[in-house]
Amino acid sequence: MKQSADQVLGTIAGTWIVARREIRDQLRDWRILTPIIILTLFFPLLMNFTAQQAVDFVTRYGAPIIGDRLIPFLLLIVGFFPISISMVIALESFAGERERLSLEPLLATPLTDSQLYLGKMVASLVPPLGAAYLGISVYLVGLMLRIDWRPPPQLLLQVLMLTTIQAIVMVSGAVVISSLTTSVRAANLLASFIIIPVAQLIIGESVIMFWARYEILWWIVVALSLIALVFVRMGLRLFNREELLGKEIDVIDLRLAWQRFWRAFRNGAMTPIEWYKDVLTSSLPSARWAILITTCMLAAGYVIGLQLAETFTLPIDLVSLDAIGEALKNPELSFGSLPGFDWRWVLYNNVRALALATLLGAFSLGVLAEILLMVPIGIIGYFAGNVALAGGETLHFLAALVLPHGVLEVPAMIIAGAAILRLGLAALSVPKGESLGQSWLKSLAEWARIGVGVVLPLLICAAAVEVFITPRIAVWLLTG
Amino acid sequence: MVLIETHDLTKHFGTLAAVEGVSLRVEAGEILALLGPNGAGKTTTIRMLASILRPTRGTAQINGFDVVQEPIEVRRSVGFLTEHHGLYTRMRPQEYLEFFGSIYKLATNVIRERTVDLLAQYGLSEASELRLGQFSKGMRQKLILIRALLHDPAVLLLDEPTSAMDPSSAHMVRESISGLRSANRAIVVCTHNLSEAEMLADTIAIILRGRIIALGTPKELKQKLLGDPVMELRLAGSLDGGLRCLPPGIKTLDTGKNWLRYQVAQPEIVNPKVLQAMTEAGVKVVTLSEVERSLEDVYLQVIAEGENNPGREG
């Protein structure tokens, strides 16, 4: 207990040593000081003036509500502009030191990785956040004096928390980028991955504030806090002295990447049978937690679908089992006779959906892939719910239309979802001593092993069953 | 006491073998020079010793600490003079040293005392009000040497300490390094400056393409690679008489009008016999001395051999 407390205190002390030097250095740099001063003092006064003019204008035309909504929004903007500088400072943190060749002496000291990373983060946060709070204060004092406006305490707290957490998200992301790039130029280019989502977030927040749905801002605070935690963890995980120092140029070595991928894909197997056994005994068991999570997510999708059926109920004549049975009797509508509905078409659609899920999941920590995979299950739940509301047996419906191929397709989706989840989370679990690229290629190889070895065979079988067997079972069960 | 010990130390960057199977021992009080051309693997080796780079294979212990298992202790034991000074140019020297001192958890008063002493010792007291951006190259180099010494480390790793310096600054820094030799400290100097290595080092390791291809004291390396010492005998008169009375078994290498050179394995035994023979024959000897052979000869020979036999290990 005492040891871990000492460790925490030691980390804080080292972090502060790094941060203090950087903060002092920033406060000596007129290129940083000038915009901070302008944004802290001049900009809030300008916003004061704008707010007053806007309020006067809209009041004249009998629309004071616009002014009421504008003032809190400007409060957010006044805080946001100074913190945007924090990202510039953070992007420069490691890449800039690298360019100035001052990084190696720092890396040779007994500072831990956490102390270095967090020190840089704190240093990037403190001056801009200080400026943001000061700017907000100047803006508020101006409003009190000019139009006697006082913010509701909850709104003020929300704005302060949003400002702080947005700064943390931007800085933690920017420090990750800075520690992974070899130059400030490259870091600035990659910063668009942060700037664009944050800009969209601000637009969203402005809509929410004009809409006066302030309670939603709390959810944004919670979501941003989680993202900040993920970024900080990712930064600590990816922080690698060797990469920082050893990486001289950012080039794509496709040949080396392919070699690494192929080595991980084969995993030492000499024959296809050996490889297949390895996939089943090594890759699949190692994905068990991800399989469990994906199963829970898909189950949640099904439940959501069921609940939606109660809200958006379909007409009984469309979803009763009798109506479905009647429809199946019509040869024009039977699945097998639909143009292009053969097993290859079904397989192609399923593979395409999983490819899209992989693309989305790879850049969203797996989250978007899970959501995408929940959709078809949710639709099944929705129809099952409607069947139940129409007086039919849910199990009967599922057994007729879903389960014959679903027993293969749903496990394939779950396993694929698990592999995508692991691929998306690869950036958060980079083994020490490995670069992000190496770790990601390994995860990609794992994803491909599971995809080729397990998911694809299941999908092929499911497609065949869906085309050749499911319609017959459906006709048999639903038409008597 | 062995302060630096490596065994089969290897570092690969992708497919590139930067350092391959380096095994070294450096005792307290010893200075080792890592000598080699640019890109030979010197910097990578000492970055592994400073626990900045992780070895691909092999082990290294610094002051008893393993570079992989105990990196923090290793870095605490090491003073690292980096090839590029990379100073924070808006800082003043005192402030800069206080920053590094605090990282090594030195007490504030200890940092102040050492800073004042070291700045005075290296002639930088006068510059204490300047920003580091205003320092000359020599002053910067001295300051980073002070930075490396501030926590009184057991091991000093000096990467190209005089690179790109003018001769007088380089001389000053060399003198400083020479003065750092202590009974409790081991020093590794990476350099491609032969005279610097010869002047400073007790042991020289010549590294080429990541491998140590020659290791020993300057004397041992010369003996091993250039053969037995070469003696030069200068006479007052012509050489003819001298040649006739040379003791049997002495192999002459070269001759001039009044001098000759011979190679001998045991000069302490053979030379008195030569002098006695000359005296007895009435040949007047002006000087008998060992011909100075430079480390450059050794280096060029070793590098040439290394280039011709890339698989050879030291």
Side-chain angles (χ1 to χ4, degrees), chain A residues 349-397:
Chain A
N349 271 309
N350 286 339
V351 169
R352 195 171 56 166
L354 288 181
L356 180 65
T358 304
L359 196 67
L360 293 173
F363 299 103
S364 64
L365 307 173
V367 176
L368 292 178
E370 296 286 311
I371 292 169
L372 187 71
L373 293 176
M374 283 165 76
V375 172
I377 301 292
I379 292 170
I380 293 170
Y382 175 69
F383 278 104
N386 271 294
V387 166
L389 289 172
E393 273 288 325
T394 309
L395 200 62
H396 197 177
F397 162 77

Side-chain angles (χ1 to χ4, degrees), chain B residues 24-35 177-183 185-189 191 194-206 214-222 295:
Chain B
L24 292 169
R25 270 170 72 92
V26 188
E27 307 230 358
E30 190 180 344
I31 298 182
L32 169 88
L34 265 180
L35 197 60
I177 294 168
S178 187
L180 294 174
R181 190 191 293 271
S182 115
R185 181 179 288 148
I187 301 175
V188 177
V189 184
T191 182
L194 301 166
S195 60
E196 183 170 287
E198 192 163 17
M199 182 199 286
L200 292 173
D202 303 303
T203 309
I204 288 174
I206 299 178
L215 179 67
T217 64
K219 194 177 170 189
E220 282 168 355
L221 288 178
K222 285 174 191 173
L295 192 61

Side-chain angles (χ1 to χ4, degrees), chain A residues 397-419:
Chain A
F397 162 77
L398 292 175
L401 292 167
V402 180
L403 285 180
H405 61 277
V407 290
L408 298 168
E409 201 171 272
V410 174
M413 278 172 73
I414 291 172
I415 293 167

Side-chain angles (χ1 to χ4, degrees), chain B residues 148-163:
Chain B
L149 286 167
L150 193 63
H151 58 292
D152 196 19
V155 171
L156 263 180
L157 304 174
L158 312 175
D159 192 4
E160 307 282 2
T162 59
S163 66

